[in-house]
Amino acid sequence: MITGISYIEMRTRVWDECREVYGRRLGLTELQNTTAVQNEKGEWVDAAAGSGDREAVLQVGDSFLILREDETAPVLLSPEGERTGQAYGSVGHWSFYVEGNHHAFSHLEGFFASNRFRATKDGPIVQPMDHAYMQRSLLEFVDPSGYPIQISEIVDPRLSNQERRREKQRIANLSAGSLLKGFDHMAMECPEIARGKEIYGDMLGLSVIDHSDSGTHEAYVFAAGMCDIELRGRIDGGNVDGLGRGVVGSFGLWTDDVDALARGIAHDAPPAERDLALGVPVRSITLDAGDGLPVEIAQRLS
């Protein structure tokens, strides 16, 4: 059974700036980073910058945001802040979950006011009721890589959406004391929507909370713990140019039994053990939904 998002990995050429934004400005707790070394007193201090392959792991509720320095990552903004036209990759954007966006804005107003790229300056904006399957209040900004990030509060009043709204709130309540409670949603493109439905729905068993079909494009929304995975693709298949590993280089899902899942889908390799972060050993398998974006299914090890 899939229980939630384990991590989102962000690739960037401006690692220091991203670490500053997600860590100090947004207040995420950094669990580890590969620049840390021990000095002669046994204290952990930052090593010299510029290694080209640094990594930081930040806590987001029961999930992690992994910032990975990568000189091959897409460059979405010029030094002047203009769009370059490079593709985002399969994950077009994702969003943090908060319980109240006015409360979040009161804590982050200085950040939004000083962000030199596009950002919400005047407070939360409520989406139109029929804009999507779930009505949200949004704060938005562009990170130093040029990637769009949202901060979401669920405000949908429709009775049909209250069960999902309560489920998200229940999970958020487990992250007491933190502003950003986890990942609210991920918006993804896939080359073959039927293949995406087979993997996320049939193989991994994620429940479908919304489905739409325009005749040329089809979309599914799957519930993965707190996070909604929004999957969209052409019905007849489409061009995979620009999909796969982009700014988001990979993401992971939590499961409570990776061995049973691997057997159930007849995975071609046994689960392997690794450390997702310092003190977070996992046992996992990795899937590909057909676009080259790795999806890791991981179980925590005690």
Side-chain angles (χ1 to χ4, degrees):
M1 176 184 178
I2 301 299
T3 59
I5 299 290
S6 56
Y7 68 87
I8 294 177
E9 175 211 352
M10 300 281 285
R11 303 162 61 222
T12 180
R13 301 190 188 196
V14 286
W15 188 85
D16 290 296
E17 292 89 338
C18 283
R19 186 182 172 212
E20 165 78 8
V21 164
Y22 290 105
R24 193 177 74 82
R25 302 304 299 274
L26 293 184
L28 296 179
T29 299
E30 184 176 276
L31 299 184
Q32 72 178 68
N33 75 77
T34 58
T35 68
V37 297
Q38 282 186 306
N39 62 17
E40 64 279 3
K41 299 179 182 179
E43 301 167 328
W44 289 95
V45 297
D46 279 353
S51 68
D53 59 356
R54 293 172 291 173
E55 178 182 291
V57 182
L58 300 100
Q59 186 91 42
V60 190
D62 188 44
S63 307
F64 302 95
L65 177 63
I66 300 174
L67 303 178
R68 191 181 305 279
E69 187 175 33
D70 187 339
E71 293 303 315
T72 68
V75 178
L76 304 180
L77 287 178
S78 70
E80 294 75 32
E82 300 296 327
R83 294 287 183 190
T84 64
Q86 289 199 24
Y88 292 0
S90 289
V91 181
H93 76 269
W94 55 264
S95 179
F96 291 111
Y97 178 97
V98 295
E99 294 175 294
N101 250 338
H102 286 285
H103 174 70
F105 187 71
S106 70
H107 284 271
L108 301 174
E109 186 172 2
F111 164 68
F112 283 106
S114 64
N115 191 296
R116 71 186 184 95
F117 305 128
R118 178 175 58 85
T120 303
K121 303 293 186 182
D122 301 320
I125 299 172
V126 177
Q127 295 176 308
M129 177 72 78
D130 296 326
H131 172 74
Y133 63 97
M134 182 81 75
Q135 188 185 33
R136 292 173 166 92
S137 162
L138 296 176
L139 297 169
E140 300 178 296
F141 67 93
V142 173
D143 84 353
S145 293
Y147 190 81
I149 299 293
Q150 297 178 345
I151 298 175
S152 301
E153 173 194 358
I154 306 301
V155 296
D156 200 308
R158 290 170 288 191
L159 290 177
S160 59
N161 285 334
Q162 297 315 296
E163 181 177 354
R164 179 61 178 153
R165 186 175 178 181
R166 285 193 295 270
E167 182 181 17
K168 285 173 170 279
Q169 184 66 57
R170 176 184 59 78
I171 299 171
N173 289 341
L174 301 176
S175 301
S178 58
L179 181 65
L180 306 177
K181 303 291 186 177
F183 298 118
D184 176 67
H185 67 273
M186 298 171 56
M188 300 174 56
E189 294 281 343
C190 71
E192 295 183 27
I193 190 64
R195 174 63 174 160
K197 168 63 165 58
E198 178 186 8
I199 289 179
Y200 294 102
D202 303 335
M203 292 175 60
L204 299 180
L206 298 181
S207 60
V208 176
I209 57 176
D210 190 70
H211 174 238
S212 60
D213 184 345
S214 70
T216 59
H217 289 79
E218 193 171 6
Y220 289 93
V221 183
F222 302 96
M226 175 188 286
C227 189
D228 302 336
I229 298 178
E230 304 171 356
L231 196 66
R232 180 178 181 270
R234 291 183 59 88
I235 293 174
D236 58 356
N239 194 338
V240 297
D241 290 345
L243 299 185
R245 298 179 73 242
V247 175
V248 174
S250 66
F251 75 95
L253 297 166
W254 288 128
T255 180
D256 49 13
D257 192 338
V258 70
D259 291 282
L261 189 148
R263 289 193 301 270
I265 65 174
H267 191 62
D268 56 4
E273 294 185 10
R274 75 180 188 96
D275 285 338
L276 178 58
L278 190 65
V280 188
V282 300
R283 184 172 170 81
S284 69
I285 59 175
T286 300
L287 306 177
D288 178 0
D291 57 1
L293 178 70
V295 182
E296 184 177 12
I297 316 299
Q299 178 184 355
R300 287 179 182 265
L301 300 178
S302 57

